[in-house]
Amino acid sequence: MNIRLLKAFLILAEKGNYADAARALFISQPALTKQINLLESQVNMSLFSRGRHGAILTASGRRLLPEAEKVVRQTQSFMQHAEWVSKGMEGHIAVGFGLSSFYLAPRCIADFRRDYPGVEMSLTDLPSFQQYELLQNDELQVGFVRVPAPVALEYLPLFTDRLVLVAPATSAKMSAAQWLAKRPLLRLYDERGRGLNTQIDRYLHDNDLFISSTQLTDDIQTIVAMVIAGIGVAILPTSVTHIAPPELVIIPLTGESISWKVGIAWDTSKEDVIRDNFIASIRKSISVDCG
């Protein structure tokens, strides 16, 4: 059934007069008469009694009126919901982030949520190599990863991250090489920090640095706590050190193998309005920061 016919039914019931109802609907009176006649033929009953005093609902019309109001409200609600969905104002987006972006990613999501409060968002801490696969499988829509990705993904570089050595606070002034020779190097397991470990290995190799020993753990917070306790030292991304307490010493490193690009990546082969709005929000933030 055409919803336009139900709206005509409701307006005529409200106005009680064909001329007034036609003006409210911005159609001619004959056009309104045709719509009401068509509706009555479809439901196989008279809905109005016509007379000198206008159009009066029949008993059948009165019984159908509440249901017609309900259907029109539901249709309007559906159309409003459809408009929000088409504009990316409702729905869900899954976002991944890694070590270098665990401070930036939540900020980007907070900015996006201010403009799109109706969008549900999930943020999952994953290494870049896992995010690449999930992005291609559409289990993630956007990933904060090392860029460019080794697979066919579109990307936007956001910043350059660099390695630094994190050591316990002490009165002794030692270089990175001296710390590494004196204390164990605390690292993440490969399944958690494969990209970081590869970067560290490249740095150590390029600089012929000796490591006294290595100790592995599951997360950055544990590494930081172990450094504070004097158990060892760590080579971490600069972006992580904003959480470093004063009990730690941050030693900059030098060389060609200490830096890498961090950005967002997504799969352009999949259409997603919410994802595109999120990317646009990040681009906007970049332009504001640069300005």
Side-chain angles (χ1 to χ4, degrees):
M1 180 178 293
N2 193 326
I3 195 68
R4 185 164 52 101
L5 302 182
L6 290 182
K7 289 182 179 179
F9 171 50
L10 296 181
I11 294 298
L12 182 55
E14 175 189 347
K15 300 294 184 181
N17 179 279
Y18 273 86
D20 293 342
R23 281 191 292 270
L25 291 166
F26 300 101
I27 60 176
S28 68
Q29 189 169 329
L32 174 60
T33 300
K34 288 182 180 179
Q35 290 181 8
I36 297 300
N37 289 341
L38 177 58
L39 178 60
E40 289 179 328
S41 68
Q42 289 180 351
V43 298
N44 196 31
M45 67 183 73
S46 295
L47 300 174
F48 294 94
S49 298
R50 286 82 163 172
R52 288 183 303 171
H53 300 293
I56 308 299
L57 282 169
T58 64
S60 297
R62 288 194 298 272
R63 292 190 183 97
L64 289 179
L65 184 63
E67 194 65 27
E69 292 172 339
K70 176 181 171 182
V71 171
V72 171
R73 282 196 306 271
Q74 289 175 335
T75 302
Q76 291 171 338
S77 175
F78 172 82
M79 294 307 296
Q80 180 67 72
H81 179 67
E83 181 182 3
W84 289 343
V85 170
S86 70
K87 294 180 178 179
M89 300 173 66
E90 277 192 5
H92 176 266
I93 182 172
V95 179
F97 74 106
L99 296 176
S100 292
S101 56
F102 82 96
Y103 178 68
L104 174 64
R107 287 177 50 204
C108 291
I109 285 181
D111 291 342
F112 179 73
R113 290 277 296 167
R114 280 194 289 270
D115 294 329
Y116 297 91
V119 175
E120 296 180 0
M121 308 191 73
S122 60
L123 185 61
T124 307
D125 182 5
L126 294 166
S128 291
F129 76 92
Q130 289 185 10
Q131 291 191 56
Y132 299 143
E133 179 180 354
L134 295 178
L135 287 167
Q136 291 183 303
N137 294 337
D138 204 28
E139 295 178 58
L140 290 178
Q141 284 71 58
V142 176
F144 287 80
V145 294
R146 289 170 173 257
V147 295
V151 292
L153 295 171
E154 186 64 46
Y155 69 94
L156 173 67
L158 297 177
F159 66 95
T160 299
D161 211 352
R162 293 176 173 81
L163 295 177
V164 293
L165 186 118
V166 181
T170 176
S171 57
K173 300 294 183 181
M174 293 193 292
S175 66
Q178 290 171 324
W179 274 116
L180 290 168
K182 183 178 180 181
R183 298 286 179 90
L185 178 62
L186 307 174
R187 304 175 59 146
L188 294 170
Y189 288 105
D190 259 358
E191 54 266 28
R192 179 63 188 89
R194 181 185 300 178
L196 176 60
N197 286 345
T198 300
Q199 197 81 40
I200 292 171
D201 289 339
R202 189 179 303 129
Y203 164 76
L204 296 173
H205 177 270
D206 291 350
N207 292 274
D208 296 321
L209 290 173
F210 171 77
I211 300 176
S212 62
S213 62
T214 300
Q215 188 166 337
L216 302 177
T217 186
D218 287 318
D219 58 78
I220 291 293
Q221 290 80 4
T222 301
I223 287 180
V224 171
M226 293 173 72
V227 173
I228 293 173
I231 296 172
V233 296
I235 298 178
L236 300 176
T238 303
S239 56
V240 173
T241 60
H242 74 278
I243 66 168
E247 295 90 343
L248 294 181
V249 173
I250 309 299
I251 302 174
L253 303 178
T254 58
E256 296 181 357
S257 53
I258 66 164
S259 63
W260 63 96
K261 293 287 186 181
V262 178
I264 53 172
W266 63 97
D267 189 345
T268 55
S269 69
K270 300 173 177 63
E271 294 185 6
D272 192 315
V273 180
I274 296 176
R275 177 204 64 199
D276 294 342
N277 288 343
F278 183 50
I279 295 168
S281 174
I282 294 174
R283 291 185 187 275
K284 180 181 177 181
S285 297
I286 293 173
S287 64
V288 169
D289 291 341
C290 292

